[in-house]
Amino acid sequence: MSKEELLDAIRDSIVNLDFDKSKEYTLKALEAGATPQEIILKSIAQGMEIVGKKFEESEYFLSELIVAGEIGKEITKILEPYLKGAEMKKVGKVVIGTVRGDLHDIGKNIVAMMLEAAEFKVIDLGADVPPEKFVEAVKNENPDIVGMSALLTVTMVEMKNVIDALKEAGLREKVKVIIGGAAVTEDYAKSIGADGYGANAVEGVRVCKQWVKQK
Amino acid sequence: MKFSRLEYTPKDIVFGFSKKFLRYGIDLEVGNGLVVPEIKYFPRVEKNVMEEYKHITEQLLKRAVALGTESLQLETELTYLEMEDKKLVAELINLQKSMIERYAKEHGLHVGYRVTVADIRDFGKPRHDEESFNKMMEIFELASSNGADVLSIESEGGKELFNYSIIRQDLTGIVSSLGYLATFDMKRLWKNIVSIAKNKSILAGGDSACAFANTAMKIAGGLKDNMIPHSLASIVRVMSACRSLIAFEEGATGPGKDCAYENVYLKVITGCPMSMEGKSSAVAHSSLVGNIIAATCDLWSNEQVENIKLFGGYGPEVFLEILHYDTKLMNMAIAGGQQYCLRDLMIKSDKLLNPQAFVLSPDIVYEISKVIVGEKDELSRTVASAIKAIELMSNEEKLNLSKGEKRFIEMAKRKLEEIYSSPSQKVEKALEQYVGKVEKLRVKDYLEA
C-alpha cells in the first residue's frame, strides 16, 4: 500500500472502530514515510470528523463516538516518540468530578471522555469529591473550566459548596464553572452562581468548546 | 439451589399470581391473587430526617385509609448518609413499624415493610472495603431487629468494570462484570443476607441490577436518543437476570426488589413473587417499558419519590394514590377473570416499539429463561442468554430497530459467539488486560471473597 492509501486506511479503521487495524496501519504508514502530522491531520482528524457526522445523523451512537476518540488517542500515543517531545496541542483544560456524597460517576465519565476526544486536557478527580479537593486542583492545575456532576438531589447542594470554596480561595474568577447530572437544572445552575449547565454530555462539551473559543 | 426448570409458560404467567406466594408482615399476602401497591419515598434534604419519616408514614397510612387501600407495602431505601448513623437507622425503622402497626390495628390494614440497605462499599479499597461490608451486614441486622419484614439491596459488585465497558459498547467487559465478577460478590452477599433474614424469621427479598441494567436503560434514553444502542441495554437486562437470580439460588424467597426489571425472568424461573415498576415510576426515571413490565408483577411500585408538596398532597401520598388505582384495575381484572386480557394489552402496547420492551415480553422471557436454566454455570448462562436474545431480536421483523441498532446486533452476535466458544478462558484473559486500565478494579478480591 502506498503512503496515501495507508493514511486512508487509518482513517477508515477509525470510522469502523477497529483499533487493531488502526494500529497496524499507523505503524506501516510511519514505515512508508508518513509524518506524525500527516497521520494526525489526514487520518485521525478526518476519521473523527466522519464519525462525528455519523453521530449527528443518528447513524452512530455516542458510545461509538467515544470509542473512535479512544482509538484516536491510542494512535497519538504511538506517534508521540516521533513528535520529538513536542507536546500535543490542547484546546483547554478542565478539572472535573462528582461532588461529595455522590458515588455516581458514569455521566461524569462520559463527559470526561468526550472532552478528551474534543482535545481538552482533563483532570478527573473521580467521585465523592470534597470542595477542598476541587480548590486544590484549581490551584495546582490552573484549568480553564471546572465541571461538577451530581445524580441526587441530596448531593447537588454540594455544588454550591464548591463554588463558595473557590470564592473563598480567590479562584472563582479564574475559571468557568459548568454543572450537570440528573438532579440539576439550568435554573439551579443559575441559582448557585455556575456559569453554565449541560443537560447532557453533548451539550456540556458544546458549552466548554464555546468558552475556550471565546478566550 | 440451582433452578433447572421453569415455573411458568408464557400463557399462564400473569400479574397477582405466584406459585410460591408469600404471607408476611401484618396479614399481608403477596402473589395469591392480588396485586399490592408498594410505595417508596425519601425525605427532603433540608428537613429533620426523623420528622420527615414520621410525616411521610403518617400521610401514607392516612391516604391508604382514605382510599380504601386494604393491602400495601412501604419501602424505606436507606441513603448513603443515613447509613453513617446506625442509631438513626434503628430509630427510623422502629418508628415507621410502630406507626404501621398502629394503623393496621385501628383500620384493619394488611401491611408489609421492606428495608433496602445501600451498598456503600468502595470497591477500590483492599478486600473491597471490608469495613463497609461489615457495616452493611450490621444494618441488615438492625433492620431485622427493628421491624423490617423484607430485606433487599441493589448490590454493586462488578460495577467498576461495567461502568468502563458500557460506554464503550465493550461486550467482553460487560460479560466479565455481570457473568463473572458480580457472581462472586452476589454469592457472598446473599449467603449473609439470607442467614440474617432466617434468624429473624423475615424475608430475604432480592437484589436489583439497578447499577447495571438500569444504568444502561437510563443511558439508552428515549427512542430518539443515540447514546448507546437500545439492543445493548436489552441484552444487559438479560445478562442481569442471570446475575440477580443468584440471590434466589442462595435462598432469597422474594418479593423481588421493585427496580429489578429483570424480575420477569426471576418469576418465570423461581416462581417467587416479584415487585415491579413501570409507568408510575416515571417520577424517578423515564423508560420504554411502562406497561409491559406490569404484566407479571405481584407488587407494583413507584420506584422513588421525594416528600415534596404537590397540589394533590405530598409526593409519597400522591403516588400511593396512583399505585392504588393501577393495582385496583389489575385486581378488578382478576376478580372478573379478565386478567389475561389486560395482561395481553399491557404486553402488546410496548413489546415491538423497542428492544428493551421486547426482552421483557413473557414469550421472549420464556425462550431465554430456558437457555438460562439449561446452562452449566453463571458465566455460560450469561453469554448464552444474550446470544438467544440477539437471535430473537433479529428474527422479529416487526421489532422497531434502526440501522444503527441492526449494525450493533450483527456485531454483538459475532462477539458473543466468540466469547461463548471458551467463556472462562476469554474472560480471564480479558480481565488481565483490564487490571490497571479500569479504575478501582481489584479482580483478586472478588476471587478471594
Side-chain angles (χ1 to χ4, degrees):
Chain A
M1 281 167 108
S2 69
K3 186 181 90 176
E4 292 305 323
E5 283 170 335
L6 285 163
L7 289 171
D8 289 349
I10 301 170
R11 179 200 61 205
D12 294 345
S13 60
I14 293 173
V15 176
N16 295 328
L17 312 174
D18 189 335
F19 173 67
D20 293 336
K21 283 259 158 43
S22 73
K23 191 178 168 188
E24 180 192 328
Y25 290 134
T26 301
L27 294 171
K28 281 185 178 166
L30 287 166
E31 271 175 32
T35 65
Q37 285 79 5
E38 278 177 314
I39 294 173
I40 289 167
L41 290 173
K42 292 186 180 170
S43 304
I44 303 177
Q46 280 188 22
M48 286 306 295
E49 200 182 317
I50 295 169
V51 172
K53 201 158 175 262
K54 282 181 183 284
F55 171 66
E56 277 167 21
E57 288 167 356
S58 300
E59 193 186 331
Y60 271 30
F61 297 97
L62 178 79
S63 41
E64 291 170 321
L65 191 65
I66 288 171
V67 173
E70 293 219 307
I71 294 174
K73 253 169 64 181
E74 290 300 320
I75 298 175
T76 313
K77 272 188 202 160
I78 298 171
L79 300 179
E80 269 167 14
Y82 299 85
L83 287 165
K84 292 174 188 160
E87 226 181 85
M88 300 296 294
K89 202 171 167 259
K90 295 286 177 190
V91 297
K93 196 190 261 190
V94 185
V95 162
I96 194 167
T98 304
V99 293
R100 180 165 58 192
D102 202 325
L103 300 176
H104 299 89
D105 61 358
I106 198 158
K108 181 265 300 168
N109 291 348
I110 292 174
V111 175
M113 290 168 77
M114 287 190 65
L115 284 167
E116 282 184 343
E119 293 174 24
F120 280 87
K121 167 98 176 149
V122 178
I123 313 293
D124 188 347
L125 303 178
D128 190 19
V129 182
E132 52 275 19
K133 211 169 158 192
F134 277 101
V135 171
E136 195 187 317
V138 172
K139 269 185 195 159
N140 296 338
E141 299 289 343
N142 194 24
D144 305 287
I145 298 163
V146 170
M148 289 183 273
S149 166
L151 181 85
L152 309 169
T153 47
V154 285
T155 55
M156 70 180 193
V157 288
E158 281 292 328
M159 292 173 157
K160 187 173 182 310
N161 295 339
V162 174
I163 292 176
D164 289 346
L166 288 171
K167 277 183 194 163
E168 259 178 49
L171 297 166
R172 177 65 186 90
E173 299 310 314
K174 292 187 174 174
V175 290
K176 291 271 194 189
V177 174
I178 183 165
I179 66 168
V184 301
T185 61
E186 192 164 11
D187 284 345
Y188 181 71
K190 281 181 192 157
S191 76
I192 62 167
D195 301 299
Y197 158 76
N200 53 48
V202 179
E203 175 69 12
V205 173
R206 193 190 57 74
V207 172
C208 292
K209 278 162 106 174
Q210 214 170 21
W211 282 344
V212 290
K213 226 182 210 177
Q214 286 164 357
K215 261 195 149 184
Chain B
M1 181 196 91
K2 191 176 182 299
F3 295 91
S4 54
R5 63 183 181 91
L6 304 183
E7 293 289 339
Y8 287 100
T9 66
K11 206 177 155 197
D12 59 12
I13 190 167
V14 69
F15 53 77
F17 291 95
S18 294
K19 289 201 174 162
K20 296 173 188 165
F21 67 87
L22 295 165
R23 285 194 190 94
Y24 62 93
I26 304 170
D27 303 325
L28 182 68
E29 282 196 351
V30 171
N32 194 20
L34 195 73
V35 181
V36 175
E38 177 168 22
I39 181 79
K40 194 163 72 181
Y41 38 78
F42 70 96
R44 288 166 290 183
V45 185
E46 68 279 13
K47 303 281 180 184
N48 174 282
V49 179
M50 286 299 285
E51 288 299 317
E52 275 291 273
Y53 276 108
K54 189 177 171 196
H55 178 244
I56 291 168
T57 313
E58 187 87 47
Q59 41 151 305
L60 282 174
L61 294 165
K62 264 189 191 164
R63 182 71 70 114
V65 172
L67 292 169
T69 318
E70 289 173 0
S71 296
L72 75 156
Q73 177 150 301
L74 275 70
E75 179 183 2
T76 297
E77 196 169 286
L78 297 167
T79 65
Y80 297 105
L81 297 173
E82 288 161 3
M83 295 276 294
E84 291 292 314
D85 188 344
K86 286 184 237 169
K87 189 167 166 269
L88 173 83
V89 168
E91 281 175 7
L92 71 87
I93 292 171
N94 196 284
L95 170 80
Q96 288 184 86
K97 189 56 182 270
S98 43
M99 291 173 78
I100 289 169
E101 282 170 345
R102 179 162 56 83
Y103 265 82
K105 197 174 171 191
E106 285 172 12
H107 301 279
L109 300 177
H110 312 297
V111 194
Y113 180 42
R114 185 200 299 266
V115 174
T116 296
V117 170
D119 191 343
I120 53 171
R121 288 172 292 172
D122 179 346
F123 284 82
K125 287 189 178 170
R127 295 182 58 78
H128 286 163
D129 196 358
E130 191 74 13
E131 195 186 326
S132 293
F133 179 87
N134 292 336
K135 191 192 264 185
M136 283 155 59
M137 292 307 128
E138 277 178 57
I139 292 187
F140 273 120
E141 293 272 6
L142 276 177
S144 310
S145 312
N146 281 280
D149 301 314
V150 185
L151 300 179
S152 284
I153 189 168
E154 299 174 1
S155 72
E156 299 196 348
K159 186 169 161 61
E160 60 284 25
L161 178 55
F162 179 82
N163 278 1
Y164 175 89
S165 307
I166 188 70
I167 52 179
R168 292 169 172 85
Q169 294 185 188
D170 176 357
L171 285 166
T172 311
I174 294 169
V175 166
S176 306
S177 162
L178 282 165
Y180 190 68
L181 299 181
T183 64
F184 292 96
D185 193 55
M186 283 287 290
K187 285 177 189 172
R188 178 193 185 204
L189 205 50
W190 277 92
K191 260 191 191 84
N192 282 277
I193 299 169
V194 168
S195 157
I196 292 167
K198 273 190 180 160
N199 281 341
K200 298 282 188 221
S201 302
I202 61 166
L203 301 176
D207 201 311
S208 164
C210 185
F212 307 89
N214 294 2
T215 296
M217 178 170 82
K218 171 86 183 146
I219 299 175
L223 289 174
K224 298 291 174 193
D225 290 320
N226 243 33
M227 307 301 277
I228 59 168
H230 285 271
S231 39
L232 171 59
S234 64
I235 60 173
V236 168
R237 178 69 64 196
V238 171
M239 290 195 254
S240 292
C242 302
R243 168 241 178 240
S244 299
L245 180 60
I246 295 169
F248 290 82
E249 290 171 332
E250 292 298 329
T253 55
K257 169 91 177 129
D258 54 354
C259 64
Y261 292 70
E262 64 271 17
N263 277 347
V264 192
Y265 288 82
L266 306 194
K267 183 164 171 173
V268 167
I269 295 169
T270 68
C272 295
M274 299 291 157
S275 184
M276 300 191 199
E277 63 183 43
K279 62 177 178 175
S280 304
S281 66
V283 63
H285 55 72
S286 177
S287 83
L288 294 164
V289 300
N291 282 336
I292 198 166
I293 193 69
T296 52
C297 70
D298 299 295
L299 286 147
W300 182 237
S301 161
N302 64 310
E303 165 61 48
Q304 185 76 278
V305 61
E306 191 176 359
N307 189 34
I308 51 169
K309 184 79 171 76
L310 305 165
F311 279 144
Y314 283 85
E317 58 179 324
V318 167
F319 275 83
L320 175 63
E321 182 158 339
I322 292 169
L323 298 177
H324 166 80
Y325 283 105
D326 289 344
T327 52
K328 200 170 155 184
L329 182 64
M330 291 189 257
N331 292 332
M332 187 49 70
I334 291 172
Q338 292 170 305
Q339 65 270 32
Y340 295 106
C341 175
L342 181 56
R343 175 199 68 178
D344 292 345
L345 289 171
M346 288 167 168
I347 295 169
K348 212 172 173 183
S349 70
D350 284 336
K351 183 182 172 184
L352 296 172
L353 189 66
N354 182 269
Q356 293 194 66
F358 182 75
V359 298
L360 296 178
S361 179
D363 53 334
I364 302 303
V365 170
Y366 178 74
E367 291 301 324
I368 298 173
S369 296
K370 276 198 287 190
V371 172
I372 294 174
V373 296
E375 287 288 332
K376 64 179 189 306
D377 59 33
E378 292 91 359
L379 181 56
S380 303
R381 76 188 183 195
T382 303
V383 190
S385 61
I387 292 172
K388 186 69 184 175
I390 291 280
E391 179 198 316
L392 294 167
M393 281 190 263
S394 308
N395 293 346
E396 177 53 71
E397 286 174 10
K398 290 180 189 155
L399 178 61
N400 182 26
L401 290 172
S402 69
K403 202 171 143 191
E405 295 283 353
K406 285 180 182 160
R407 185 169 43 79
F408 171 76
I409 283 175
E410 277 304 307
M411 185 280 286
K413 184 173 183 288
R414 280 195 305 273
K415 188 74 207 172
L416 289 166
E417 281 172 352
E418 186 192 315
I419 299 171
Y420 190 65
S421 64
S422 53
S424 304
Q425 209 184 351
K426 292 267 180 347
V427 163
E428 280 160 21
K429 198 176 161 201
L431 283 170
E432 283 171 20
Q433 287 165 1
Y434 289 124
V435 173
K437 199 153 77 170
V438 177
E439 202 188 343
K440 297 191 173 186
L441 180 61
R442 302 173 64 92
V443 174
K444 272 190 182 170
D445 288 354
Y446 283 100
L447 312 184
E448 288 166 6

